[in-house]
């Protein structure tokens, strides 16, 4: 069995850094230039927040002026940091539980980079074609749940139960092989691990 991928193996080491006092407009221009979905907000060498496209969308929705609003006013804080030796599966689980798409990776020497949802999806794509839910190499990422008991199908309350639609549900979150979304639950449908939305298509 191959060793599990670590955060260090897929980490985006280059990131866009800004300060709390920078205007949002300038930070957005940097994001576009660098084709980045977020900027890391630092105070000296200390990460104090992160500003993502979602934060910018909230600013637009509030009809605030991005040239007059500082990054510190809309950033998400505090940041969630992990170590480079974390497994990729643990990092993806943390993203799913915290409902975030970026994790700051730090060591004793400071910031190493930012792990993005795109990094996780790209890494997942590298082994999708060679693994299956039942394969030994995938057991560390996914744990199958017990199928619904056949007697439940004849129960009068069957309409209130969630029944699998042609596949087993997986209890650990991961990346949908159809739409690429990071979700809390995956389903086996025709040999692919899919989210509930793609499962019903």
């Amino acid at each position: 069995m191959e060793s599990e991928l670590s955060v260090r193996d897929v980490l985006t080491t280059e990131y866009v850094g800004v300060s709390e006092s920078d205007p949002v407009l300038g930070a957005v221009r940097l994001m576009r230039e660098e084709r980045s979905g977020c900027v890391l907000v630092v105070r000296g060498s200390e990460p104090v927040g992160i500003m993502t496209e979602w934060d910018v969308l909230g600013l637009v929705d509030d009809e605030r002026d991005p040239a007059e609003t500082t990054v510190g006013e809309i950033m998400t804080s505090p940041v969630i940091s992990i170590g480079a030796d974390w497994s990729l599966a643990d990092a993806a689980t943390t993203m799913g539980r915290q409902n975030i798409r970026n994790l700051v990776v730090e060591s004793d020497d400071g910031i190493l980079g930012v792990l993005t949802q795109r990094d996780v999806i790209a890494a997942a794509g590298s082994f999708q074609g060679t693994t299956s839910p039942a394969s030994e190499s995938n057991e560390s990422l996914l744990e199958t749940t017990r199928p619904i008991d056949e007697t439940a199908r004849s129960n009068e309350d069957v309409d209130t139960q969630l029944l699998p639609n042609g596949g087993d549900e997986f209890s650990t979150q991961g990346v949908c092989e159809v739409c690429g979304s990071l979700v809390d639950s995956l389903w086996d449908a025709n040999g692919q691990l899919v989210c509930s939305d793609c499962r019903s298509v």
Side-chain angles (χ1 to χ4, degrees), residues 143-153 161-171 187-188:
E143 296 176 6
T144 58
T145 58
R146 291 176 59 89
I148 291 178
D149 193 298
E150 287 299 319
T151 58
R153 297 183 187 277
Q161 299 185 30
L162 178 62
L163 298 176
N165 182 13
D168 294 327
E169 183 186 8
F170 291 86
S171 61
W187 295 78
D188 181 13

Side-chain angles (χ1 to χ4, degrees), residues 2 123-138 141 177 191:
E2 295 181 5
S126 69
F127 61 76
Q128 276 179 358
T130 58
T131 61
S132 67
S135 72
E136 182 182 13
S137 62
N138 221 18
L141 295 177
E177 293 184 21

Side-chain angles (χ1 to χ4, degrees), residues 6-79:
S6 72
V7 168
R8 191 186 306 277
D9 295 326
V10 300
L11 176 63
T12 300
T13 55
E14 295 182 2
Y15 61 90
V16 182
V18 297
S19 72
E20 297 163 89
S21 60
D22 287 339
V24 172
L25 183 59
V28 168
R29 286 175 176 158
L30 274 175
M31 290 168 67
R32 285 176 53 84
E33 286 173 17
E34 299 297 328
R35 301 183 64 80
S36 174
C38 69
V39 290
L40 187 59
V41 187
V42 293
R43 188 182 299 148
S45 60
E46 191 74 22
V48 295
I50 193 164
M51 186 186 83
T52 70
E53 307 117 313
W54 288 103
D55 296 317
V56 176
L57 286 172
L59 176 79
V60 173
D61 187 45
D62 292 341
E63 299 181 2
R64 296 167 66 186
D65 185 352
E68 299 296 326
T69 306
T70 65
V71 170
E73 292 177 65
I74 69 164
M75 70 181 185
T76 300
S77 180
V79 297

Side-chain angles (χ1 to χ4, degrees), residues 169-192:
E169 183 186 8
F170 291 86
S171 61
T172 303
Q173 63 83 38
V175 178
C176 174
E177 293 184 21
V178 175
C179 68
S181 297
L182 187 65
V183 294
D184 288 333
S185 297
L186 291 170
W187 295 78
D188 181 13
N190 298 323
Q192 287 187 305

Side-chain angles (χ1 to χ4, degrees), residues 95-112:
M95 284 183 176
R97 287 178 178 165
Q98 298 292 332
N99 194 26
I100 57 175
R101 296 181 295 160
N102 306 280
L103 290 167
V104 177
V105 183
E106 293 188 274
S107 71
D108 292 338
D109 298 325
I111 303 168
L112 296 178

